[in-house]
C-alpha cells in the first residue's frame, strides 16, 4: 500500500481517494480532492495560497530543511523481501518519526518565542506612548499656547464671523428697502 502525496497541497492521499491527472507528456499529477485539482487547472501558485504546505514552508511556519525529510523520499527500486530488513526498516521509521516530531515541536517553540518578543516590543512601545505624551509635541505647543488661550481664540473668531454675517444681512436689507431710481 503506497500513500501518495497531493501535487498541489502536499497532503497525504490514501489508496482509493483523490484523483489522478495524466498530462499528454505522461506526467502524472495526484490530487487529494477537487479543491486541489481545480486550483491546479486554474494555474494557481500553491505558495500563495495560505492553506497549502508549500505556503507554510515558504512563509517559515513549518520546517523546510531537515535531514528527516530524506527518509520520506520515494524509492522505486524493487527489493527482495527479507523479514530482518523489514523489521529493521519499521523500527527505523518509528525512530525517524519521533525525531521529526521532536524537531517540529522545537521549531514551533522557537517561532512562538520570536512572535512573543515582537508582541512584547509592541506593548512596550504602546506603554511609552501612553506614559510619555510629553515626548510628542503638538503643533500648538511650539507657540506656547495653553488650551484656555486656544478656546478664547476660537470664541473670538466665532464672534467676528457672526458680526460679519450680521453686517451682510443689514446691507442686503438696505438695498431691498431703497427703491432703485429709474434713469429717465
Amino acid at each position: 500500500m503506497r500513500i501518495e502525496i497531493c501535487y498541489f497541497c502536499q497532503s497525504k492521499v490514501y489508496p482509493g481517494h483523490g484523483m489522478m491527472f495524466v498530462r499528454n507528456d505522461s506526467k502524472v499529477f495526484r490530487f487529494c480532492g477537487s479543491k486541489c485539482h481545480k486550483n491546479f487547472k486554474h494555474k494557481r501558485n500553491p505558495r500563495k495560497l495560505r492553506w497549502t504546505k508549500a505556503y507554510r514552508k515558504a512563509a517559515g511556519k513549518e520546517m523546510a530543511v531537515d535531514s528527516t525529510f530524506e527518509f520520506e523520499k520515494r524509492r522505486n527500486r524493487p527489493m527482495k523481501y527479507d523479514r530482518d530488513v523489514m523489521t529493521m526498516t519499521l523500527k527505523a521509521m518509528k525512530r525517524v518519526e519521533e525525531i521529526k516530531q521532536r524537531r517540529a515541536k522545537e521549531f514551533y517553540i522557537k517561532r512562538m518565542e520570536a512572535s512573543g518578543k515582537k508582541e512584547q516590543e509592541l506593548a512596550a512601545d504602546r506603554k511609552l506612548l501612553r506614559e510619555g505624551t510629553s515626548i510628542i509635541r503638538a503643533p500648538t505647543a511650539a507657540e506656547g499656547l495653553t488650551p484656555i488661550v486656544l478656546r478664547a481664540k476660537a470664541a473670538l473668531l466665532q464672534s467676528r464671523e457672526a458680526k460679519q454675517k450680521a453686517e451682510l444681512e443689514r446691507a442686503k436689507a438696505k438695498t431691498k428697502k431703497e427703491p432703485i431710481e429709474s434713469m429717465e
Side-chain angles (χ1 to χ4, degrees), residues 42-132:
H42 287 300
K43 298 182 179 179
R44 294 204 175 115
N45 188 349
R47 285 173 288 175
K48 292 184 179 178
L49 297 174
R50 292 176 158 252
W51 53 271
T52 62
K53 284 191 179 180
Y55 172 84
R56 294 187 61 78
K57 286 181 180 178
K61 295 180 182 290
E62 283 187 10
M63 288 191 305
V65 180
D66 194 32
S67 60
T68 57
F69 295 143
E70 289 293 318
F71 294 101
E72 290 182 0
K73 284 188 178 176
R74 189 170 163 174
R75 293 166 184 87
N76 289 324
R77 188 182 309 152
M79 292 185 67
K80 203 171 194 180
Y81 179 76
D82 186 7
R83 183 179 233 159
D84 296 333
V85 172
M86 193 66 172
T87 55
M88 287 173 44
T89 305
L90 289 173
K91 286 179 184 176
M93 286 170 60
K94 287 178 185 175
R95 181 71 179 133
V96 166
E97 189 62 32
E98 289 172 6
I99 293 169
K100 187 173 153 185
Q101 287 178 352
R102 189 183 75 233
R103 288 181 182 173
K105 190 175 180 180
E106 289 172 4
F107 180 80
Y108 176 78
I109 290 169
K110 285 181 184 176
R111 195 167 64 88
M112 290 298 114
E113 286 175 358
S115 68
K117 288 178 185 175
K118 288 180 186 175
E119 289 175 10
Q120 288 174 353
E121 289 174 4
L122 284 173
D125 290 344
R126 287 187 191 115
K127 184 179 177 184
L128 180 67
L129 284 174
R130 266 187 270 120
E131 293 174 355

